[in-house]
Amino acid sequence: EPEVTQTPSHQVTQMGQEVILRCVPISNHLYFYWYRQILGQKVEFLVSFYNNEISEKSEIFDDQFSVERPDGSNFTLKIRSTKLEDSAMYFCANPGHITDPDTQYFGPGTRLTVL
Amino acid sequence: GESVGLHLPTLSVQEGDNSIINCAYSNSASDYFIWYKQESGKGPQFIIDIRSNMDKRQGQRVTVLLNKTVKHLSLQIAATQPGDSAVYFCAERGSQGNLIFGKGTKLSVKP
């Protein structure tokens, strides 16, 4: 299975602080997604990224969130001013095959804890 | 609206038995479905997928069945092993290309 990597594995922050979550996707793919999973709940879509632009975003992805591709390969998810309810697992995902954008492979996730 | 849900939150089976995990979806226009396995503290792991032009697809020890008439999806695991213990999610592709996940079924395999 194609491998997506994420760092850090666990991030603890104080409410109101900014956090940046990082992901190294499967290389040479144009599609990219961020999801989150609050403990014990289902996985929820945040944002999709296609060809270096945001393609779609959910209601969760408000002005406090942003996505960037700072160096042409890695992706970042930034939360500008974290809230307690932002505590969750954050997953990046992207397709493993450039001709098949549907089968999404997930990274191991970053556990964000907001205190 | 679009929604995906699971019939049972937990399923307990004996090692060696077959497991069946069910899922209902509401959007009759959905054309792609996928099953993931999630172990504690890990990301969702792809198991198998199916497109709406198919009724059945088989993988290694797993089979996905799609019944578009009643908007029902199932995952069958043959000869369930302790390593199959996990939470299983079904998901459908939404209109935005993202995946819409169900709530998950926890599978416990008794030795």
Side-chain angles (χ1 to χ4, degrees), chain A residues 54-107:
Chain A
I54 289 178
S55 174
E56 302 289 346
K57 56 185 179 180
S58 72
E59 294 178 351
I60 303 170
F61 195 87
D62 61 22
D63 293 342
Q64 293 300 311
F65 289 87
S66 62
V67 179
E68 293 181 356
R69 195 175 189 183
D71 58 7
S73 59
N74 299 331
F75 283 88
T76 63
L77 175 70
K78 182 190 293 185
I79 308 175
R80 292 186 183 85
S81 179
T82 50
K83 304 184 289 291
L84 295 176
E85 53 265 38
D86 292 328
S87 294
M89 286 289 290
Y90 289 82
F91 297 105
C92 61
N94 73 317
H97 303 284
I98 198 164
T99 58
D100 180 7
D102 295 325
T103 306
Q104 296 180 27
Y105 294 91
F106 283 72

Side-chain angles (χ1 to χ4, degrees), chain A residues 30-33 45-58 61 67, chain B residues 95-98:
Chain A
L30 298 178
Y31 290 93
F32 188 76
Y33 304 85
F45 168 69
L46 289 176
V47 64
S48 60
F49 205 77
Y50 175 73
N51 200 24
N52 294 325
E53 293 183 353
I54 289 178
S55 174
E56 302 289 346
K57 56 185 179 180
S58 72
F61 195 87
V67 179
Chain B
S95 58
Q96 300 174 339
N98 56 295

Side-chain angles (χ1 to χ4, degrees), chain B residues 41-54:
Chain B
K42 297 185 178 180
Q45 178 186 358
F46 169 78
I47 302 174
I48 192 168
D49 57 3
I50 188 168
R51 300 189 185 279
S52 59
N53 61 352
M54 302 174 69

Side-chain angles (χ1 to χ4, degrees), chain B residues 3-15:
Chain B
S3 66
V4 180
L6 288 158
H7 292 312
L8 296 173
T10 60
L11 177 65
S12 183
V13 300
Q14 202 71 36
E15 181 179 358

